Amino acid sequence: MSTMSQQSHLTDSESWRVVGRSEGGQTQAEVAQAIGVSQSVISRIWNRFLKIGSVGRGPGQGRRRATSPNEDHYLVLTARRHRNMNATLLQQHLRSATGTTVSTQTIQNRLHGVGLYARRPMVCVRLTSRHRLGNSRQWKYFELFNEELMRFNWIEKIQD
């Protein structure tokens, strides 16, 4: 910032210039005049550098996230490993693993953030060995019906 503008924050490169000049022996007033900001800005940057060793800004104000980035990653991994788990089961899994209690909506929001949607397991009848074997006549009928659908391109219309 070359002049006293209304910009609210210095960029990281400008903040590092402040640290470099301060370490070089210039006073805060001299650094402030050279960069074009008030001395209080220089003081805050220098104190932040001394306190945390960096000039980067910390997180802003606002509501804290219910889950940490590690818990978000754990949720995503669990959801990908167990494709049939819905948000309620994932919520219970997270609570037992980490002790963090969150709502099912939070679970859905975290999964939506990485592109996972509709965690509603299908209610299906489990097939027995008898079902799997089936009747060869039934399978032939199914194959014939499937060929007819493909001939008329009905399968493409059904999938859309």
Side-chain angles (χ1 to χ4, degrees):
M1 288 179 20
S2 58
T3 61
M4 296 273 197
S5 67
Q6 295 299 315
Q7 183 179 354
S8 58
H9 303 290
L10 293 179
T11 63
D12 281 348
S13 62
E14 291 172 329
S15 297
W16 282 113
R17 281 180 46 212
V18 168
V19 170
R21 286 176 178 256
S22 297
E23 286 179 334
Q26 289 185 340
T27 65
Q28 289 184 355
E30 292 170 343
V31 175
Q33 187 176 14
I35 296 198
V37 294
S38 66
Q39 194 233 328
S40 63
V41 172
I42 304 303
S43 176
R44 280 197 307 270
I45 292 171
W46 180 247
N47 288 336
R48 186 185 314 141
F49 174 73
L50 292 178
K51 184 176 180 182
I52 63 174
S54 176
V55 295
R57 293 170 40 81
Q61 294 179 346
R63 184 175 175 90
R64 291 182 47 130
R65 288 175 64 91
T67 56
S68 69
N70 286 339
E71 290 167 340
D72 294 344
H73 185 65
Y74 178 79
L75 272 174
V76 171
L77 288 178
T78 306
R80 286 192 173 137
R81 282 187 191 129
H82 306 285
R83 302 292 296 183
N84 61 340
M85 290 179 81
N86 61 10
T88 305
L89 292 174
L90 287 169
Q91 175 190 36
Q92 294 168 357
H93 208 271
L94 180 68
R95 186 181 318 123
S96 66
T98 65
T100 303
T101 303
V102 295
S103 68
T104 55
Q105 184 63 54
T106 299
I107 301 290
Q108 289 175 355
N109 291 343
R110 299 301 183 264
L111 295 178
H112 289 179
V114 295
L116 295 174
Y117 297 94
R119 310 240 15 123
R120 296 183 182 97
M122 298 287 291
V123 178
C124 301
V125 176
R126 294 194 67 106
L127 296 179
T128 64
S129 58
R130 185 174 173 212
H131 286 111
R132 289 189 190 105
L133 293 175
N135 189 341
S136 61
R137 191 168 41 131
Q138 290 174 339
W139 283 111
K140 286 181 183 177
Y141 174 74
F142 174 75
E143 289 172 2
L144 176 67
F145 182 69
N146 195 16
E147 289 174 10
E148 291 292 323
L149 286 178
M150 289 174 69
R151 185 182 310 158
F152 294 110
N153 293 329
W154 287 353
I155 289 183
E156 292 176 9
K157 293 178 183 174
I158 291 172
Q159 291 175 350
D160 291 339

